[in-house]
Amino acid sequence: QQRTLRRTRRKRCRCTEAMDDFDDEGDVEETEFLDEAEDGEKDASGDEIPEELNEEEVIDIGALAEVQDKVFEEIQLPSDIIEEAQAGWNSFIQMSSSRDAAGEAIYAALFDAAPSLQSLFKTPRSVMAMRFMNGLTGIMNALSTPHALKVMVETLGFQHLDLDVTVPRVAIFRDAIVDLFDMELGTRFTSKMRAGLCAIMNYVGGAIIYIRREYAGRIKILNSSWRTASNKDASDLEEACLEPPNPDGAAGDGDHTDAKDKDDPNASDPNAKAQAKTGGTSLISQIQSQMQVPKTFNEMFLFNAAVMGFGNSGWMHLVLEQFDAMVTNVANSYRLQEECDVLSLVLAQYEGDIILSEFKAVMLASLRSLVPKDWDSAHEVAWNWFWENVERMLKAIMGKPTVQQASLERFIMSLDEDNLTYLRREIYKRFFTVAPAGQDHFKQSTTRLYWIADKVIEMTSEMYRDPKKLVEDISALGLRHVGYGIPTEFFAPFVSSAVDAVKTINPEEIAQEAFRWSLTLVSKILVRTILEGSTIVMKAINTNDAKQLRKAISVAPRGKRASELLNITVGTQSISPLYWAIESGSLNTAKAMLEDLLVIRADRDNYYYGCDQLFERHPEIIHKLTSDAPNLLRTLLDGLVWRSRLILQGQRRVNYYVKHLVQNADGGFNQALEWIVEGQDPKIICHDVVVLFADMLWSGLAGHFFLLGRCYFLFTLAVFITGQSILPQLHEDPSNQTNAERIAIFTCRILIYVFSMGQLFVNQVRCLVSDCRSGHIVRLFKVIPFPEYLTNMMQVGNLALMLCLLVLCTQDPIFHCINNEGQLFTQHCDGQPNIEVYSTLSMVAMLLYWALLLDLTIFSMQISAFTLVCGRVLSELGLFIGSLIFLIITFASSISALNHNCSDFTNIPAGALSLMEISLGMFPSEHFHQIQEEVAVLLTVSLFIIIVIIFLLNLLVAQLNGAYGAVYDDMVGYARLTRGSIIVSALGGISVKRWDRYLETLGFEERLEFNEGDVGLAGGIQVTEPANEHPTTVENIRRFGGSTSPAMPWPAEEHLQGDGAEDKLDRLEKIILRATKKMTKKNKAANSSSISQSQQSGSSARSADDDNESDR
């Protein structure tokens, strides 16, 4: 039966934000804009034209046509209505620019539907929009499975226990959603879609009312009594119990204690597991010896278990380990079922009898002891109801895992390579057929996809063998999928495809059931982890949009703002959004996160600065940025500086918060400087923060220890000079030396051979052994292996000096003449070695001694920078010398081939020597007369002079100039890098007591003033600098008035980063689009109305004519 429905709606948008940021002359309000659009659609008579005129089929959806709050049962809608409803939902999402935009549209429709609903919206807009999308998407996907739909709606009802949901409010909610779909989908919004959507909203709303009426009291009793029994904080328990699956609430509150300790009820009692296994007698004796009354549920339970004769029941401890998670998630049916499934697998590995009623008796006895004042019959009913549900879930599975595990393992072991290849290919073939959109998320190679399929099959078997470990691994995997941005809608089709693919191989029925059940449990854990970890911050990171990140974090409470950027914890696993942004390449959002963390915000009561939280959560952040994102290191260092905009006597106050760069969490020397030096960035090492704390360490500790170490080297150099260059040259004739002089020379050489060469030898052996043990071996030319310490030029110089001294010791003439009957310690005797070899090696050793003394230039940055520049341009000089040698050999061999009479070029060696003298300007001028007599020789030598002196020498000057210009800007940075490496090596040998005394002098625990009388934050060093060095005209501390509650978010900061203008344009664009869409719909409705009127008038005229004819 068809009927015509004329419906007229007149809706005015109640704008939640006034566009008051525009100029006064250009002020625009959304309500005015839309009112003008509506007024333009009125006809001449002033009547408003109806929005739409269409024909709809009347769909009978039975009792679900109204909100049913008396019963809560499974529903089964007709398949055609389900398909239409799901198609409408998918169309609505596709018409939106993104899932977030669709959630925003739903939020706006609900918020504007009625003023009475606005008081229920206490969560920030972006968070609520994401919740609406996740909840409605899950409900729509579960329409075809009544049981799953009921469990999901039941979980949703438990989450709304604290809200006053009524039938009229459900009707308003339903009508707002239906009107939104009607407006967005237009003609595509069919009557079946409308009926299905109304039925779903009525079912969900009625279920929420029913659950709140029937179970709210029991849930509250369980929460309050468990809070008392386990000594949990009320706010933490309420947040965990009432809103466990909210994707925005998974982040921690800044408490970086081990998440496993929070979830494990036995974390406070490390001996609980041992006590559970020792039996009742030892447990009682231990408690009596301690003479302590049990105060927590774990202690009381173990005590009562021992007293009641259940001390040897080790399975109770297994239940107790997960009991806290079950009670905490009693309002979440999905999570409770998941915990019971995992517990059943754990209990399946226990050898012995399991009587669940015994645990119930001990549980109730313990609760009565811990909650004596509040315990009554209502508590008894609530806890009995809770344990009956848990026991029912456990008994439904107990006994099956052992059989299923054996069958599944036999099936997996029976798969050969052909079957595995077929199974891998079939899984993805079926999955891409069922969910074509999933192909967009599987971008890896086929071999990688096959590896994933193998891991999936392996997980199904591992779940039976070690369920606890696999749950932790899956939680970590789920948190990584949060960063990948994988929609959870794809997990169910993937599981179905994998199960169907396994069925094609025809395994045993038990193996099929085991594979299906295990893989379903894995997918449930993954989906839960992703939903709990999918915060709005992670979604912003996936877009790599700094503006979206600032918008997402702006709704966070000021007391938890830093923790939401640094930690997301799900179960025992955690992930850092900041590290994920760096590792995934979202450097724009990573930079915005660092800037937000290191901004000092303040209200009247507190200063908020994320520096401490950042280094506590990531003590190795400097190393992470140096290796993975060096461009962000300057952003981090800039955030550690505060400069006052006030000037006093030409000086500006500056606070450097360098505590976490100097000391680590244990109070030892931090590796920050070592990591910065390893980065070899001459600009970062010259940053004001690094310069301050590096110079502070140099002047306070490292400089003194380094100088003390070099004093020994200076002493050995003085002894070597005395024994080799001063005492032997006192007399022209060595035979005139006195005995005292010869004894002094011998003593100096013995000191050098023993103390200098010995010290060098020990140092070389120590470095060699250390590199060999640690495997620090590098290959010269990728062939010759040698220890890594020889890559340091100072160590190479030490090795060369040691070898020279060793050869000197073997060639020393005093040792060869020791048996001479002549003078004591003489150097002249028969049979002595060639004195020229000894003197040459002595000269080389002297040069090496002085060269190794160049590291003392580190005390002056200017001298050190000059030395380093000289070293860096030596490569250009080496190229020149190499070219000169090549030309000398070339022209010497060429001239020797001529027939001439020049004695200076008779052969190649003589010619090469003459050409070298010409190049250095040492060739005698009178010898040029002989060259002039030989024309061929003259031309060849002239060509050599032109190439070498005119071309190569000037080219060398140009190269040196270019090389110096390239390193000039960074020469101080390279000098500081050298000093930094010396600081790191010097501080490694400082005692703990000396280091602790030095830290006390820094006073990091004292709070620093920002301005006079304004005592701020601790952990820094305050200095003054010239006002013109870093001009600052803006206050670096963002101060806010209003409420000072840590639970309140900071007020909007639209003036920052230029986001205000962009937000205005975005809002204006949305207004125009909505107005245009509304005017278009009204034009269509007007046209339909005019056509209908013309048809009616035409039919009336024809009927009048027929009447006239009949009268005639």
Side-chain angles (χ1 to χ4, degrees), residues 758-934:
Q759 187 262 346
L760 291 173
F761 179 78
V762 172
N763 180 61
Q764 293 293 316
V765 172
R766 183 186 298 113
C767 293
L768 178 63
V769 172
S770 175
D771 282 351
C772 292
R773 286 181 177 178
S774 59
H776 294 162
I777 304 297
V778 295
R779 293 185 177 273
L780 183 63
F781 307 116
K782 298 182 179 181
V783 177
I784 305 174
F786 65 97
E788 188 181 18
Y789 82 96
L790 290 180
T791 56
N792 188 341
M793 293 305 299
M794 295 299 295
Q795 292 290 352
V796 174
N798 289 331
L799 177 62
L801 178 59
M802 185 200 72
L803 295 177
C804 283
L805 293 178
L806 182 62
V807 177
L808 279 175
C809 182
T810 59
Q811 298 295 322
D812 198 318
I814 295 180
F815 294 153
H816 286 274
C817 298
I818 196 70
N819 295 325
N820 196 328
E821 297 179 356
Q823 298 175 339
L824 182 64
F825 301 138
T826 182
Q827 301 183 52
H828 302 279
C829 61
D830 296 335
Q832 68 177 8
N834 190 355
I835 196 67
E836 296 297 331
V837 175
Y838 179 81
S839 61
T840 302
L841 290 174
S842 178
M843 178 201 68
V844 173
M846 189 70 69
L847 291 175
L848 289 174
Y849 262 112
W850 284 104
L852 292 175
L853 205 62
L854 287 176
D855 58 354
L856 288 177
T857 59
I858 201 64
F859 282 94
S860 172
M861 285 293 98
Q862 292 182 344
I863 300 176
S864 178
F866 175 77
T867 305
L868 290 173
V869 169
C870 292
R872 289 184 176 272
V873 299
L874 281 179
S875 59
E876 307 298 333
L877 181 61
L879 293 175
F880 171 79
I881 294 175
S883 302
L884 179 61
I885 294 173
F886 173 77
L887 291 174
I888 287 174
I889 296 174
T890 300
F891 280 89
S893 60
S894 301
I895 294 174
S896 64
L898 293 175
N899 184 15
H900 60 83
N901 297 320
C902 293
S903 59
D904 294 324
F905 298 94
T906 55
N907 50 44
I908 293 178
L913 179 62
S914 299
L915 291 176
M916 185 182 68
E917 292 175 347
I918 292 173
S919 302
L920 299 178
M922 300 170 59
F923 192 73
S925 58
E926 59 271 12
H927 290 192
F928 279 104
H929 296 289
Q930 188 178 4
I931 296 176
Q932 292 176 358
E933 297 176 359
E934 300 290 341

Side-chain angles (χ1 to χ4, degrees), residues 18 52 131 155 261 322 589 720 766-767 845 878 925 940:
E52 58 184 355
R131 291 186 187 179
T155 302
D261 293 342
Q322 292 187 239
T589 53
F720 189 72
R766 183 186 298 113
C767 293
S925 58
T940 306

Side-chain angles (χ1 to χ4, degrees), residues 344-345 348 394-406 464 510 513-514 517:
S344 65
L345 295 176
L394 292 176
K395 286 184 176 179
I397 306 172
M398 289 177 62
K400 297 180 181 179
T402 305
V403 179
Q404 291 178 345
Q405 178 183 0
Y464 288 98
I510 299 178
E513 178 62 21
W517 186 85

Side-chain angles (χ1 to χ4, degrees), residues 680-686 861 865 868 872 967-980:
Q680 291 296 305
D681 190 338
K683 290 184 171 53
I684 289 297
I685 198 69
C686 290
M861 285 293 98
L868 290 173
R872 289 184 176 272
V967 301
Y968 175 77
D969 295 335
D970 298 331
M971 62 181 183
V972 176
Y974 288 116
R976 287 198 170 275
L977 286 172
T978 303
R979 175 184 280 188

